[in-house]
Amino acid sequence: MRDGASAGTEVRVSDGLYVTGCEPGTGKSAVALGVFELLARRVGRLGVFRPVVTAADGADRVVDLLLPRSPEPRPPYEACLGVPYADVLADEDRAVSEVVDRYRALAARCDRVLVVGTDFTEAGAAGELALNARIAVNLGLPVLAVVSGHDRTAAGIRSAADVGVAAMRSAGCEVVAVVANRVDPREVAAAPATAAGGLPVWALPEAPVLTAPTVAEIAEACDGELLAGDAATLSRETSGVLVGAMTLPNLLDRLVGDVVVITPGDRADVLLGVLAAHLSGGLPAPAGVVLTGGIPPAPRVLELVETLPTGLPVVLTAQDTYATASTAAAVPGRITPEATRKVDTALALFEAHVDGADLLDRVAVSQPRVRTPLMFEYELLDRARSDRRRIVLPEGTDERVLRAAEKLLRRGVVDLTLLGAPEEVRAAAARAGVDVEGAELVDPFDPELRERNAVEYARRRAHKGVPMDQARDVVVDVSYAGTLMVALGTADGMVSGAAHTTAHTIRPALEVIRTVEGVPIVSSVFFMCLADRVLVYGDCAVNVHPTAEQLAAIAVSSGRTAAQFGVEPRVAMLSYSTGRSGSGADVDRVRAATDLVRQQAPDLSVEGPIQYDAAVDASVARAKLPGSAVAGRATVFVFPDLNTGNNTYKAVQRSAGAVAVGPVLQGLRRPVNDLSRGATVQDIVNTVAITAIQAQRQAPQQARP
């Protein structure tokens, strides 16, 4: 491919991409993370490779970061590693040959491989750049060059890009684009759009959180041990250090968010005061406390610390206060798999400032033939982000909900409203080490909102004789408050259920929003993401024993939902019998439902009754239903009852390793979706994205007050 080639220019298909810095301090790990996620949208079997490993134990932090994000089945960890740096210094020719061999062995396992260059730790900048260029040429890979924008003007960035590109080209590399990372936000708009030869230059603004150390990194640097608090909060990023040597009132005046407070171990007043500040919700929340001098708190004090529900990590080190503060201030921050705020920030910056479609075109990555779970999840986020909607989350103090909210906000997927007393939501976020800045915080007990919701609820339930006093009591329930926001158009959809039952989530929607005209029931589907495709299962969560008419409605709704999310609907009406081979009340009910589907949705491809094996296996289909357009290739599976559907989806999820996304509710006039009470953070993120996509397809919302 010619340097500077654009979409439409003749390109050669490569089996990977080489990302390398052109100098020290570029922050290329953040760029590599963004590229990896971009490739994962189109590549089924995606590998990561580090040609030169610096760690003495053979581990590599870039592989640690990226490999867990690769879809299953992943290559073995060792297959992602090249050679130790010592081998390069001893015999570079032999080392490069070994790198090529190991890369080819990995490439044979993968559709694409992202190669991340060396870390500029052993040789001078020129020698390191030459080494990366030599490796890239021998691997036959195009190069994405990364330069530093830190402390550089727009002119300085252009010069660094031109120098880096020239050096790579002189070594025979194909450079496809340049990323200028860590650019002063004030210089991003002025940064050059192209480098020598017309190559695109994408400027990523500097984000302090990406270079901030975590509490765990500070503790490790100080040889500290966790004395109290939640070990999970050690991954929280810090904003700096504050030495607690003054009296508590003066210390609190100087407290800032996410700071690490360093104080002697016998200063119980400082320790307890900082913990109280963390609990208050009204003061900046620190990230942790480091006690110095090897002096643990007195037993009574430690007992009190352990009873406070802060989760704030308290670390003890044998170093004195000065040494600890000096060490902590010098700790560099790294992007690790546990540093979710850094990961989300890096991805958000990459998505906002890099033309991903252009980059994929330049490295000739075609549209995928398969659809992995990871691809499906990325597709959800991309579609939701393309036309942002406001989603209300009633469980605003639930830690999983808050963590999902932070991820969604940082990635710019949706706008969010969190329900709950604002001070309680902020306190819960502080305890979890979560930043939900940008979310709207709404208290259902706010007098004006409560009265407005009560009037609307009483109006909509007037046929049931609901008086205003009862309405005022009902609408402070978070599920009703969130549902009314959707009904009134102040939100586009609602997601709940992390801490509430399905009935608690659905009942308000049935009372206030109601079903689409012509759809008799609310039902649900799960998107079952298998290794290479996405199937739709319905109904596995709502209707216990649907009638033939209700089964038909579930089938039609499920087909429409499948199509909305890019799954071509071929509907299998499941039963214990296929075709005309069996009889009985249950199979007759499915047969009648199939006939109704054909009447109500003649454009929908449907088959039933049909057994599961005949629906998915082409050889069984040829024997049992030859000539069927659905048998052997079904994508939408309608189960005859809740018992069968719920057990089947869980069996497939656990036994086949499928990712189950849902339940997704269908049939309501406006989108409301339920979560399992065991939902993970990623489950919540996916469900919010699905809800936003549903809202994009529904009627425009009413004007907001």
Side-chain angles (χ1 to χ4, degrees):
M1 179 170 58
R2 297 192 306 272
D3 292 333
S6 60
T9 304
E10 182 179 355
V11 295
R12 67 167 175 79
V13 177
S14 69
D15 57 1
L17 176 66
Y18 198 105
V19 176
T20 185
C22 295
E23 57 189 326
T26 62
K28 72 176 180 303
S29 293
V31 177
L33 177 63
V35 174
F36 193 84
E37 298 279 300
L38 179 66
L39 289 172
R41 286 163 163 78
R42 291 194 184 180
V43 176
R45 297 179 301 165
L46 178 59
V48 57
F49 184 69
R50 285 279 271 171
V52 180
V53 182
T54 56
D57 61 359
D60 185 83
R61 60 185 181 83
V62 173
V63 176
D64 291 339
L65 174 66
L66 299 183
L67 186 59
R69 309 182 75 84
S70 180
E72 296 281 7
R74 301 185 184 110
Y77 189 95
E78 297 75 16
C80 302
L81 305 177
V83 299
Y85 221 115
D87 290 4
V88 176
L89 297 176
D91 187 338
E92 184 173 313
D93 290 344
R94 183 174 180 177
V96 170
S97 177
E98 177 68 16
V99 165
V100 172
D101 288 343
R102 294 189 64 81
Y103 168 79
R104 287 178 176 171
L106 175 64
R109 298 172 176 261
C110 306
D111 297 321
R112 296 275 167 149
V113 178
L114 176 65
V115 182
V116 184
T118 63
D119 289 334
F120 285 76
T121 57
E122 298 288 342
E128 201 85 9
L129 183 59
L131 173 62
N132 280 289
R134 182 180 182 187
I135 294 172
V137 168
N138 279 277
L139 298 183
L141 298 179
V143 172
L144 176 66
V146 185
V147 299
S148 174
H150 184 64
D151 286 340
R152 278 178 173 154
T153 63
I157 294 170
R158 174 61 188 258
S159 176
D162 286 347
V163 169
V165 169
M168 299 296 288
R169 282 175 168 167
S170 67
C173 292
E174 293 184 69
V175 183
V176 295
V178 179
V179 173
N181 195 27
R182 304 185 62 196
V183 177
D184 187 322
R186 296 167 296 183
E187 294 287 338
V188 169
T194 59
L199 287 178
V201 177
W202 295 304
L204 305 186
E206 181 144 40
V209 70
L210 295 180
T211 54
T214 63
V215 181
E217 289 168 333
I218 289 177
E220 182 181 2
C222 299
D223 293 323
E225 61 174 325
L226 183 66
L227 195 65
D230 185 355
T233 60
L234 288 169
S235 62
R236 184 172 180 177
E237 292 81 10
T238 66
S239 62
V241 298
L242 176 64
V243 177
M246 58 187 67
T247 61
L248 183 61
N250 289 323
L251 177 68
L252 294 179
D253 286 341
R254 291 164 173 79
L255 196 64
V256 297
D258 296 328
V259 74
V260 171
V261 178
I262 299 174
T263 192
D266 58 358
R267 288 294 301 272
D269 59 327
V270 173
L271 173 60
L272 294 176
V274 170
L275 293 175
H278 189 264
L279 277 174
S280 71
L283 291 172
V289 179
V290 178
L291 303 178
T292 64
I295 308 171
R300 290 276 183 93
V301 174
L302 191 57
E303 287 177 12
L304 180 57
V305 168
E306 291 173 342
T307 62
L308 295 174
T310 64
L312 190 71
V314 178
V315 173
L316 179 65
T317 176
Q319 296 180 3
D320 63 32
T321 301
Y322 176 79
T324 301
S326 300
T327 300
V331 175
R334 301 188 185 279
I335 303 178
T336 64
E338 299 78 23
T340 55
R341 187 179 298 180
K342 288 183 180 180
V343 169
D344 291 334
T345 299
L347 292 176
L349 291 175
F350 189 90
E351 290 163 351
H353 296 278
V354 172
D355 187 338
D358 186 24
L359 179 56
L360 290 175
D361 285 342
R362 289 172 179 274
V363 294
V365 180
S366 60
Q367 290 293 339
R369 295 186 300 273
V370 299
R371 204 176 190 197
T372 68
L374 202 58
M375 290 177 183
F376 184 68
E377 290 181 352
Y378 289 142
E379 181 183 318
L380 293 178
L381 298 183
D382 289 341
R383 289 182 60 185
R385 188 185 294 112
S386 69
D387 182 11
R388 285 174 63 162
R389 298 288 164 150
R390 178 168 293 279
I391 306 300
V392 57
L393 304 177
E395 298 153 325
T397 58
D398 185 282
E399 182 177 336
R400 290 165 297 162
V401 171
L402 289 167
R403 293 191 183 281
E406 179 182 47
K407 185 180 292 286
L408 289 160
L409 291 168
R410 286 188 179 274
R411 300 288 295 274
V413 178
V414 292
D415 298 319
L416 289 177
T417 297
L418 299 174
L419 295 190
E423 63 276 9
E424 294 179 5
V425 175
R426 294 190 186 98
R431 287 194 296 272
V434 169
D435 180 7
V436 291
E437 181 181 356
E440 177 188 32
L441 307 184
V442 174
D443 187 351
F445 284 89
D446 176 79
E448 184 179 343
L449 175 64
R450 182 178 187 179
E451 190 65 19
R452 184 167 68 245
N453 282 347
V455 169
E456 183 64 21
Y457 181 73
R459 183 185 72 81
R460 293 185 182 230
R461 301 295 289 170
H463 64 290
K464 293 291 186 180
V466 174
M468 279 296 295
D469 286 346
Q470 180 183 343
R472 291 188 183 96
D473 291 338
V474 168
V475 299
V476 293
D477 178 279
V478 290
S479 291
Y480 278 94
T483 302
L484 282 161
M485 290 186 69
V486 177
L488 290 169
T490 54
D492 300 297
M494 182 181 88
V495 173
S496 188
H500 293 90
T501 65
T502 295
H504 193 265
T505 299
I506 296 178
R507 186 184 301 113
L510 293 175
E511 292 180 4
V512 174
I513 295 177
R514 301 183 182 176
T515 59
V516 175
E517 185 176 353
V519 178
I521 58 170
V522 173
S523 60
S524 73
V525 295
F526 278 91
F527 291 100
M528 302 300 295
C529 303
L530 304 177
D532 59 351
R533 55 201 160 125
V534 177
L535 304 177
V536 177
Y537 284 8
D539 174 8
C540 304
V542 179
N543 297 285
V544 177
H545 194 78
T547 65
E549 291 74 14
Q550 291 172 332
L551 269 180
I554 292 169
V556 173
S557 294
S558 299
R560 289 171 179 167
T561 300
Q564 184 178 0
F565 289 91
V567 177
E568 182 181 351
R570 295 186 291 271
V571 182
M573 306 293 288
L574 296 174
S575 178
Y576 60 78
S577 175
T578 295
R580 300 291 174 181
S581 65
S583 62
D586 286 337
V587 73
D588 290 343
R589 177 168 55 93
V590 174
R591 186 173 291 117
T594 305
D595 292 339
L596 288 172
V597 172
R598 288 174 175 146
Q599 295 171 23
Q600 296 169 9
D603 58 332
L604 187 61
S605 184
V606 62
E607 187 67 73
I610 186 172
Q611 293 161 288
Y612 195 97
D613 60 348
V616 298
D617 190 306
S619 62
V620 176
R622 284 192 295 270
K624 292 189 175 183
L625 275 178
S628 170
V630 172
R633 53 198 297 267
T635 57
V636 179
F637 300 80
V638 178
F639 293 91
D641 53 61
L642 184 61
N643 181 57
T644 305
N646 191 269
N647 278 295
T648 302
Y649 107 76
K650 288 180 178 177
V652 173
Q653 180 186 32
R654 301 299 179 185
S655 300
V659 175
V661 179
V664 178
L665 299 184
Q666 51 192 15
L668 290 168
R669 293 177 184 269
R670 305 291 297 278
V672 170
N673 278 310
D674 179 42
L675 296 165
S676 163
R677 275 171 285 176
T680 66
V681 171
Q682 190 59 45
D683 291 335
I684 299 170
V685 168
N686 290 340
T687 304
V688 170
I690 283 173
T691 307
I693 295 167
Q694 288 177 313
Q696 292 169 357
R697 294 292 186 94
Q698 296 194 353
Q701 66 182 44
Q702 303 169 25
R704 295 177 180 170

